[in-house]
Amino acid sequence: MTDIVVKTVEELKDAPEEYREAVSKLVISHAINELYGAQVFDEPAIAYAPTPYAKWLTCRVAMEEYGHHVRFKQLGVQMGIPEERMVPSTGKKPLSIFEFPLKTWEEFVAIKLLADLAEILQVEDLLHCTFHPLRNLARATMPEERFHAQFGEDFSAELVKTSDGKARLQAAVNEYYPYLPSFFGGSKSRNNEIFRKWKIKQRTNDDMRQDYVKRATEVAAKYGLTLPEIRQAA
Amino acid sequence: MNGVNKALPGPRLEALRAEVRAASWFAALGEPLTEGDRSDAVAYIAALGFDSPEIGVARDWPDAERLLKAPDWAPAWWDLEEALRRRLLTEAETLYPERALWSSLTDLTTETGDLVHGKAATAAARMGRAAAASIHVAAGAASQAVYQLAVARLAGQSASPFESKFHLYAAGRWPLGILGSRLVLF
């Protein structure tokens, strides 16, 4: 019953309604969050970047994030989702982290280091998705997401070379990290149950959150950073 | 707000797309400057309001990386471009529907990004010794130049500094900006 593989957008029309709705929710969520991330963090960060090298690298990251939004939106349009449901303000409520506008370069580096790691876990979970257009999109997106996280590592390595830089980066980690574990959704999420039932996603929210905390702790430790206590998931 | 419901100028955007596809992205990096390069460089910097500075050349990728990371770059150059871009974007927003304008610029920049990233990777492989991140930097710079040019043209400005800046990219150069007291081309 739930062993279904949907190889094309055309085939999706014949899939069960619950499957189609679940896939639509994921595509809308990714389209909106990629756009929020680009608008709230990546584009403003260009002004804070300290050198032309860092500015243009940030430009490229911002463009790739906008590009992810474009790709998810294009898939959504093919699936028949109205465009206005895949952009902020008219669509679903944003994640809480997007309510805190960027103020410094160190905050952006902390976000790339830790928030993009969360994004990697989300995309990893789609690499075996039974809806192949979404699986393929995840595969296309993954190298760029890894590059963005590496950006966070590279500039973290630069900042921690001085005690002042390290203190500012640690302060940014302390400010933003507590919001990130909730990125993975609630422990008893009905949506996640449906995603796993149809093998659209593979892991529970709690499993992913636990993995994220472990990996975030490891990557922070590489640069002598610590992670603050986290809030309970919603 | 006259004309705010005007449809985006499809032929103008398509012409720009054709220019982007035809450009010799990063094909002349490290080569000696031509008179055409010098002329475009002088026009670019004069249009931004700078006195004509000395024109310098980056020899190779490590040299370009060193220059772009040096602390003695001129923020005024970046800030002038950014102020101009913001003003032109505001003008364009009075001419076209915001959503359509934003979507067309995002689509153009996404397409351009994929194209120039590949061109930068090819140039880096050919010349050697480029840091992996520098390919992304080059692609970011080139995509930004196309975005700036698109905004200017959609605002009806056909003589902005972004025209001569794009000419440099189209001729295979990478204008690295005003670094120290020089406009440096790679």
Side-chain angles (χ1 to χ4, degrees):
Chain A
M1 167 62 183
T2 54
D3 282 344
I4 181 174
V5 171
V6 178
K7 292 187 176 175
T8 65
V9 173
E10 276 298 307
E11 285 182 20
L12 185 63
K13 295 182 178 72
D14 299 324
E17 186 179 355
E18 186 180 64
Y19 186 93
R20 283 188 279 115
E21 279 183 10
V23 168
S24 294
K25 276 182 186 171
L26 267 182
V27 170
I28 291 168
S29 173
H30 276 272
I32 288 177
N33 288 332
E34 294 285 2
L35 185 54
Y36 262 120
Q39 287 179 332
V40 177
F41 299 131
D42 299 276
E43 195 172 338
I46 297 167
Y48 295 118
T51 64
Y53 193 90
K55 284 181 183 294
W56 278 326
L57 198 52
T58 308
C59 277
R60 184 68 187 129
V61 169
M63 286 164 188
E64 286 179 350
E65 297 288 13
Y66 276 118
H68 297 170
H69 160 74
V70 169
R71 288 180 199 159
F72 278 103
K73 191 181 73 174
Q74 284 170 343
L75 175 59
V77 167
Q78 288 169 27
M79 291 163 56
I81 301 170
E83 277 197 52
E84 57 269 24
R85 289 185 64 199
M86 295 184 283
V87 292
S89 79
T90 53
K92 68 194 278 282
K93 192 172 180 290
L95 296 169
S96 55
I97 192 172
F98 297 132
E99 292 169 9
F100 300 92
L102 194 75
K103 300 181 294 299
T104 66
W105 174 244
E106 289 77 14
E107 287 178 0
F108 184 63
V109 173
I111 286 166
K112 289 292 111 180
L113 183 72
L114 297 172
D116 282 51
L117 176 61
E119 185 64 25
I120 284 175
L121 266 86
Q122 295 282 11
V123 176
E124 275 177 355
D125 206 41
L126 293 174
L127 294 178
H128 304 282
C129 176
T130 51
F131 179 44
H132 285 190
L134 184 55
R135 178 201 68 179
N136 296 347
L137 188 45
R139 290 182 181 180
T141 303
M142 184 54 97
E144 292 173 356
E145 294 293 359
R146 287 196 179 120
F147 165 65
H148 300 170
Q150 187 60 48
F151 173 108
E153 289 208 42
D154 291 345
F155 282 103
S156 291
E158 284 295 314
L159 285 169
V160 301
K161 284 177 182 170
T162 67
S163 56
D164 182 47
K166 185 175 177 182
R168 283 183 278 119
L169 182 59
Q170 181 65 61
V173 167
N174 293 348
E175 181 173 356
Y176 278 93
Y177 176 73
Y179 296 98
L180 294 172
S182 63
F183 189 66
F184 295 93
S187 297
K188 295 172 183 170
S189 162
R190 172 77 179 133
N191 281 338
N192 179 263
E193 198 178 306
I194 295 169
F195 294 150
R196 285 184 295 109
K197 169 184 167 185
W198 295 103
K199 297 187 174 63
I200 296 166
K201 295 185 74 172
Q202 318 301 316
R203 304 165 75 184
T204 66
N205 288 343
D206 279 347
D207 185 20
M208 289 181 68
R209 186 175 4 259
Q210 197 176 7
D211 190 13
Y212 170 70
V213 170
K214 176 175 171 288
R215 287 161 71 171
T217 304
E218 287 168 0
V219 78
K222 269 173 78 175
Y223 303 100
L225 302 166
T226 57
L227 300 181
E229 288 295 311
I230 60 171
R231 297 175 175 188
Q232 288 295 313
Chain B
M1 298 295 276
N2 276 349
V4 75
N5 291 319
K6 194 161 63 174
L8 282 168
R12 204 184 297 170
L13 283 169
E14 203 40 57
L16 177 54
R17 279 193 166 85
E19 287 179 67
V20 169
R21 285 193 295 269
S24 300
W25 296 105
F26 305 115
L29 301 183
E31 298 290 335
L33 292 183
T34 66
E35 276 311 304
D37 294 334
R38 287 184 188 281
S39 170
D40 283 329
V42 169
Y44 164 51
I45 216 65
L48 279 174
F50 282 90
D51 292 335
S52 289
E54 183 188 342
I55 297 172
V57 179
R59 297 182 307 274
D60 51 25
W61 284 83
D63 195 25
E65 289 156 9
R66 181 184 58 76
L67 288 162
L68 287 172
K69 291 177 179 177
D72 64 341
W73 66 289
W77 147 70
W78 186 280
D79 294 343
L80 275 168
E81 281 199 3
E82 187 55 13
L84 178 60
R85 179 197 68 84
R86 279 199 299 268
R87 181 170 65 74
L88 292 170
L89 186 60
T90 302
E91 288 177 23
E93 283 169 350
T94 65
L95 296 173
Y96 306 108
E98 187 183 357
R99 175 76 62 84
L101 177 66
W102 185 88
S103 293
S104 66
L105 288 170
T106 303
D107 289 348
L108 173 67
T109 312
T110 301
E111 288 167 30
T112 300
D114 289 344
L115 170 72
V116 297
H117 195 109
K119 299 286 187 181
T122 302
R126 188 173 58 241
M127 295 178 76
R129 300 169 63 217
S134 298
I135 294 164
H136 295 263
V137 174
S143 307
Q144 182 205 38
V146 171
Y147 170 79
Q148 290 168 327
L149 183 61
V151 169
R153 290 190 183 175
L154 287 169
Q157 290 284 333
S158 57
S160 74
F162 303 135
E163 295 285 342
S164 37
K165 182 180 180 182
F166 179 76
H167 289 164
L168 287 164
Y169 278 106
R173 291 289 175 188
W174 177 4
L176 300 180
I178 298 186
L179 311 170
S181 58
R182 303 179 303 159
L183 170 63
V184 180
L185 302 181
F186 183 14

